[in-house]
Amino acid sequence: MDALCSHNGLDPLWDWNRTWYTPNPDLTQCFQNTVLVWVPCIYLWVCTPFYCLYLYCRDRGHISVSCLCSAKMVFGFLLASFGFVEFFYILLERNQEIQQHMVFLLSPIIRSLTVVLAICIIQLERIRGCRSSIFLFLFWLLAVLCSLVPLRAKIQLAVEEGFSADAVRYLAFFSYFSLQMAQLFLSCFADHPPSSGKPIIVKNPCPVQDASFLSKILFWWFSGIVIKGYRSPLQAEDLWSLREEDTSDKIISDLEQEWTAECTKLQQQEKSMSAGVAPGSRLTDQAQLLRKLQKEQSSGFCLLRTLARNLGPYFLSGTLCLVIHDAFMFSIPQVLSLLLGFMRDEDAPLWKGYFYASLMFMLSCLQSVFNHQYMYSCFTVGMRVKTAVMGLVYRKSLVITSAARRTCTVGEIVNLVSADTQKLMDFVVYFNAVWLAPIEIALCLFFLWQHLGPSALAGIATVILIFPLNGFIAKKRSKLQEVQMKYMDGRIKLMNEILNGIKILKFYAWEKAFLEQVLGYRQRELKALKKSQILYSISIASFNSSSFLIAFAMFGVYVLSDDKNVLDAQKVFVSMALINILKTPLSQLPFAMSTTMQAMVSLKRLGKFLCQEELKADSVNKETFSPDGDAVVVDNGTFSWSKEGPPCLKRLSMRAPRGSLVAVVGHVGSGKSSLLSAMLGETEKRCGSVLVKGSVAYVPQQAWIQNAALRDNIVFGRERKESWYQRVLEACALLPDLEILPAGDATEIGEKGLNLSGGQKQRVSLARAVYRKADVYLLDDPLSAVDAHVGQHIFDKVIGPRGVLRDKTRILVTHGMSFLPQADLILVLVDGEITEMGSYLELLGRHGAFADFIHAFASSERKESSVQRGTRKSSSRLSMTDFMPVSRDLSQEQLIGGDTVSTSLQTMEPISDTDQDQVPEDLGKLTEVDRARTGRVKLEMYMEYFKTIGLALILPILFLYVFQQAASLTYNYWLSLWADEPIVNGTQLNTDLKLGVYGALGFAQGVAIFGTTVAISVGGIIASRHLHLDLLNNVLHSPMSFFERTPSGNLLNRFSKEVDAIDCMIPDGLKMMLSYLFKLLEVCIIVLLATPFAAVVILPLALLYAFIQSFYVATSCQLRRLESVSRSPIYTHFNETVQGASVIRAFGEQPRFILQANHRVDHNQTSYFPRFVATRWLAVNLEFLGNAVVLAAAILSVMGRETLSPGIVGLAVSHSLQVTGILSWIVRSWTDVENNIVSVERVKEYADTPKEAAWTVESKPLPAAWPQTGTIEFHDYGLQYRKGLEWALKGISLQIQEREKVGIVGRTGAGKSSLALGIFRILEAAKGDIYIDGINIAEIGLHDLRSRITIIPQDPVLFSGSLRMNLDPFDAYSDEEVWGVLELAHLKNFVSGLPDKLNYECSEGGENLSLGQRQLVCLARALLRKTKILVLDEATAAVDLETDNLIQSTIRSQFEDCTVLTIAHRLNTIMDYTRVIVMDKGHITEMDTPSNLITQRGHFYRMCREAGLV
């Protein structure tokens, strides 16, 4: 090379004195004309073949010629022509001494040929659909960078010699350089999208596809949505559609084939293994267990392999970015070392300082870019893994056999989708840390060893000590967490019971007792939390002081081990920079390990589920419909539910002729439903064959209803034909139900058909099948849940010989004997075998089991019909009116929990005219839904939160933070002073003192960190205690109407999720945010101390930072809300599908459900994708700001070199290097706090709802024995349920004397129960007054009133806790009194027989006592209180006659000298009362003794006549 240059009369290739050791550096002419010209060319020629191969493999379609492309081509040709012109110019001009100009001849020709190659590549990219080329961008960048040195030389020459000396030469070079710049600029933009064959119209496409590669690297393409979110809260419509490669369709279609292949391989392996076992020999249990574990392990690895094959290449590109990022990260301390060396060397030329400063800035920026590219690729892969796993699990859940389905509950399957996919996503993000972190740690140690020698090992010893401590703390904390969760679960369970039994609590005035119980749980829960938080504070303090501790150990050992060891700025601050790098892998490693272990477990679980047995498609032969012959044929079939299990159907043979009605009868468990399952192919076929001709519709025994509109449940994916739809509704007796439903057939049905009665669900399920117009109908006892006359209607209109389905083949499982005579064929099943078969008359004639069965049934039917006539009638109405969530407060009788049995429709009417303000669209909605909030959190929420903590704690917290940062600043400054200490005779003076001061300051900071974290935790606990107490008080003081309007789920959510967020999330977020804010402050102060001039840079950067931050927080909060709102429909849909899989399969609707699931997952991902990109967008922009601070600190240090010492510069620069990390952490913790402070808002929501009157009134003390006589007077009393509704009671005036027994009767909705509600002030009077013993009850406290009178309610409610607590929650009575009462209530024998007697634990709702026993416990409560007034709301359906007689006789004897009001449903109980009040529509119509009323022949007489008493 040198020879070639010297031959051309140029200086040698490289000269250190010209380039490095000089105040005015330059490159030699030879270097400029050869290397600088050739480097970009060599890059392009070497890489082109590989790039062409890449383009050849990735065809994205053809791009038409655009302006951008044309401009690139034109500039390219101009550039190429420059070279050729120069070549010919030299040839002509210097043709004599051509040998001497070889270099000048070669360079332009090489350059021009390279540009021609670049033009060819531009064309190739256009043809293969590449819109933005990183390959050419790098080429033009290299070319421009290499031209910078000649450019500088040319400008210097022009300045020295004048421009005119060689004007043509200069002009040519400058235009050439400008064209290169133009090409570089153009390559920053993306071309048109390629025109594919079919135009794909995507609504709101993702802009990343139109982004150039520069925009992709810096995430500028994301800015649009950030600005939009800042202007107004984002809605779901504003989000982009998913890119095609992220959609469920694309991901799963690729994955499914591979996974199926893997599964087949696995099964073959298993077969070959089991074939290896000698026939007849059994494996030992151990061997079987081993084999099972191996299978789970291998299925997990298979899943990992399949995912890796599909998503691996993309993930590896991300990993490459991470490795490059690490290289840059480790080079920064080396450059810092050079910079500090420059500061020490006073003779070094200034340009070197600027060079190092710029180099550091460049490296920091590149480090940021590569890091975030890696994170982006990780999250994208994570998102695709989530989609893939969800899709596979969903598809699997549709084909899994029932035996396998029994091994995993619905909850477990939903868990696979929610928890396990999350673990896999975390695994993708942290997996690389498992192998990279150890390498990073080793590299840090290697560099530290270079600076400090063996002392570096002292640092590692410190690390080894810190980590076990943290491990121990983590273990203790997890134990405490379990304790805390236990109490929290107890508290939530109790709250749930309180909300379910709130009416009883109000009647008995027991709120205080339960309030104490809840607070007891809360107290213990917070105690555990406090311990856990103190341990956590130790952990945080040790981690935040770790960099100090490591440095202290290393420097200490270094200076104490040898006097000649001196600490200079280079050693100190390069070591500090390395220690800061070291902290990241150290903290990541244990986390990455545990994430990987958890992911392995999740993979095993997923693999196990995905390898479960599937239903075999060949178990039923499906044929097309043919008008003649048999529609269903089973030939000698034996079926079982699982491969190993016993057969459930044996040697079955049957034929169902086309169009016939086949009835299947038999006792419970005889295999009737299994027969239908066998025809659907749901069972394991052992032998024989099943043939079904035509399409199938299926009605399961337990109706399966989707959470969708009623009409969608019936139409079930078919198009809606109005006339047929109406016919189906009419036939299935659904029209009367539609009239009641608030929005007709558009009413939304709750999960599992929540707001439909059993009969309604069954009829909807039947309507779905009828609407199908299938050829074969399999009906599994559809008439069991409906009442007799509805059942008859359905049989006549749908199933029977004159029904809608008369021409179809119907196989009906039934218990209803009345329908059998109309069946064409009857199968009698006994223990899974058909014992008899034939028509009704044939079977009766045979006098077999069937005939006996019929005779036995007929006699019992006759007996029953006489008893059940009354209840039959009422239960037929139940199915219509069970559905009353919207009008709950209208059905007056329901308020005391009674009379749901026959709430007549007149109470429903007011809906139409009084609730005019209800928006019609919301009619079909259920209760008040929790809304997703929009917009930023208001400032007063923060104020509210801090006010609860109290100023007394906030000031110490702030003081501690200031102290902690001051200590940190001082010890860092002390280090810099130490580093600047002059060296005398090869040593520094007073090293012991210096080390001691350094250590003391560091430890002071550690203690302060511990103090701040503990203080914030304590403050958080105080705040959450107050907020929880307020919430609890507000809820318990709310009136009954509040609980009817608010779903208990919403309330429980406040008590669990929101309170949990206030307990843990907010304090943790605040700790992080404050510590980083103060850290940032410290860095700014240090940089300003060193170079005050930096203020010019820092202030505008701070403003810009605040600006970016406010943009981000608004968008991020809203994206998070949208993401969580769209997540729950996925799980709901999963849940439903798993439960209704057999129905979905029977109707052949799997593809539609798979599409729906895909759609829901995709909808969730549309908000998840921008959510993680938002974090990257923010981080990249912030890190560039942070890097600007590094640049400012370094450049200003170089400028002020005369006045600054190396120590201060090292301090400033090494601190500014941390800014990037600090900034992104502040924003993340800020967003966390902002997202969680919403919980304070939601807990506070119920403070403003209306409350009931005061529990006690201090100013009006009641006489201790009130009421003494028990007289009750009503003065023109009126009652309304809500303003604007009709009066429930109007103008009631009556006097009840002491010891009088009064019965209150009337039709449903007459206002009987409203009287009781008025006496207890569950509802306040709208007009008039009630006096008890001459005291107006409106003027005394609610608890004073309610605790002095007693009610025995209609539905007996017990709470979980001891039996004694259920009788006497305040412990006001002695054990003797309680036992005495139990004897009177006929419970003494029962309770004495219990293991714990009075301390017997009742389960939730008293489930472990029978209904009659619960009713007697309620009686015992009343007996224990023994007040002068007793209101008895008579239980209707709940109690058997025996219990009822016991209760009545006890009341007669025990409450003889009390006033008793009975709301009667059975008239025979009140025939001996002193007075009867007959009510109708809120008025008293008749009032007299029972005998007088009967002689008057009015209302009461008619009621007695109906009841058969007259």
Side-chain angles (χ1 to χ4, degrees), residues 112-378:
S112 296
L113 288 172
T114 308
V115 172
V116 172
L117 177 64
I119 294 172
C120 297
I121 290 175
I122 292 175
Q123 279 305 320
L124 182 65
E125 285 178 341
R126 185 178 69 77
I127 293 165
R128 304 301 289 178
C130 174
R131 298 174 60 182
S132 172
S133 168
I134 186 168
F135 178 64
L136 285 178
F137 175 82
L138 289 176
F139 167 68
W140 294 119
L141 184 67
L142 266 176
V144 169
L145 289 177
C146 290
S147 306
L148 285 176
V149 179
L151 179 73
R152 173 173 166 263
K154 288 275 191 295
I155 292 172
Q156 271 180 343
L157 260 174
V159 170
E160 284 163 18
E161 296 176 4
F163 185 68
S164 49
D166 202 349
V168 179
R169 210 47 165 311
Y170 287 141
L171 265 176
F173 184 80
F174 289 143
S175 9
Y176 186 77
F177 183 76
S178 314
L179 283 172
Q180 275 184 327
M181 285 294 289
Q183 282 284 31
L184 179 64
F185 178 70
L186 289 178
S187 63
C188 292
F189 295 97
D191 213 332
H192 288 320
S195 52
S196 53
K198 50 184 189 305
I200 306 164
I201 310 294
V202 180
K203 196 179 116 255
N204 205 357
C206 181
V208 70
Q209 281 136 315
D210 301 330
S212 68
F213 104 93
L214 199 63
S215 167
K216 281 180 189 166
I217 283 179
L218 301 171
F219 299 99
W220 286 339
W221 56 271
F222 188 76
S223 307
I225 203 167
V226 179
I227 294 165
K228 200 178 210 171
Y230 181 71
R231 286 190 184 141
S232 64
L234 287 176
Q235 302 298 328
E237 304 74 71
D238 300 331
L239 302 177
W240 308 310
S241 312
L242 280 182
R243 300 175 293 179
E244 200 219 342
E245 58 266 34
D246 290 334
T247 55
S248 305
D249 269 355
K250 177 89 183 78
I251 294 174
I252 297 169
S253 56
D254 295 351
L255 200 75
E256 221 177 354
Q257 294 162 339
E258 289 197 20
W259 176 243
T260 322
E262 284 284 354
C263 268
T264 333
K265 247 192 272 176
L266 259 182
Q267 279 159 357
Q268 280 164 352
Q269 273 175 9
E270 213 181 321
K271 271 185 196 150
S272 60
M273 269 171 73
S274 44
V277 180
S281 71
R282 294 258 349 253
L283 279 173
T284 60
D285 288 351
Q286 265 181 320
Q288 278 182 319
L289 187 71
L290 252 171
R291 181 168 290 184
K292 191 175 163 217
L293 285 173
Q294 268 177 325
K295 185 188 167 189
E296 279 177 29
Q297 198 86 35
S298 56
S299 61
F301 281 126
C302 278
L303 182 59
L304 187 61
R305 225 180 14 231
T306 315
L307 288 170
R309 237 182 252 144
N310 270 354
L311 306 167
Y314 187 64
F315 181 69
L316 285 176
S317 68
T319 308
L320 181 67
C321 290
L322 183 64
V323 173
I324 297 171
H325 154 265
D326 271 18
F328 288 132
M329 179 172 76
F330 279 110
S331 48
I332 291 173
Q334 307 308 317
V335 179
L336 175 65
S337 172
L338 293 169
L339 179 68
L340 294 176
F342 156 81
M343 294 299 290
R344 215 176 39 204
D345 177 6
E346 283 155 22
D347 307 331
L350 251 173
W351 68 268
K352 284 189 184 176
Y354 292 130
F355 172 67
Y356 293 142
S358 319
L359 189 59
M360 259 169 86
F361 175 68
M362 284 284 302
L363 290 172
S364 300
C365 288
L366 286 169
Q367 180 195 347
S368 297
V369 164
F370 280 102
N371 184 26
H372 294 299
Q373 278 311 305
Y374 164 65
M375 292 305 279
Y376 173 73
S377 72
C378 273

Side-chain angles (χ1 to χ4, degrees), residues 863-880:
K863 265 193 230 123
E864 253 180 46
S865 62
S866 59
V867 181
Q868 281 206 332
R869 201 175 295 130
T871 51
R872 267 290 159 85
K873 185 173 79 215
S874 58
S875 59
S876 69
R877 271 184 276 168
L878 165 70
S879 59
M880 325 261 281

Side-chain angles (χ1 to χ4, degrees), residues 1084-1198:
C1084 290
I1085 291 172
I1086 286 178
V1087 173
L1088 291 173
L1089 272 179
T1091 53
F1093 201 62
V1096 181
V1097 185
I1098 286 179
L1099 279 173
L1101 282 183
L1103 290 172
L1104 195 57
Y1105 169 69
F1107 179 65
I1108 292 179
Q1109 144 106 7
S1110 64
F1111 260 81
Y1112 166 77
V1113 172
T1115 307
S1116 158
C1117 283
Q1118 203 50 23
L1119 281 172
R1120 190 177 223 170
R1121 287 170 188 154
L1122 287 172
E1123 200 256 336
S1124 60
V1125 166
S1126 65
R1127 202 177 328 143
S1128 35
I1130 300 180
Y1131 303 142
T1132 315
H1133 185 67
F1134 248 88
N1135 224 329
E1136 282 182 349
T1137 306
V1138 174
Q1139 282 164 346
S1142 55
V1143 178
I1144 297 170
R1145 284 195 291 263
F1147 283 97
E1149 288 289 315
Q1150 297 98 313
R1152 180 169 70 92
F1153 274 79
I1154 286 174
L1155 272 176
Q1156 266 182 11
N1158 283 358
H1159 173 72
R1160 288 184 185 203
V1161 171
D1162 286 352
H1163 180 60
N1164 175 245
Q1165 300 288 37
T1166 48
S1167 46
Y1168 176 73
F1169 177 67
R1171 211 183 111 186
F1172 73 75
V1173 180
T1175 325
R1176 304 277 73 82
W1177 172 87
L1178 174 84
V1180 163
N1181 286 312
L1182 288 190
E1183 289 189 13
F1184 275 83
L1185 285 185
N1187 295 334
V1189 175
V1190 176
L1191 183 66
I1195 295 262
L1196 291 167
S1197 306
V1198 173

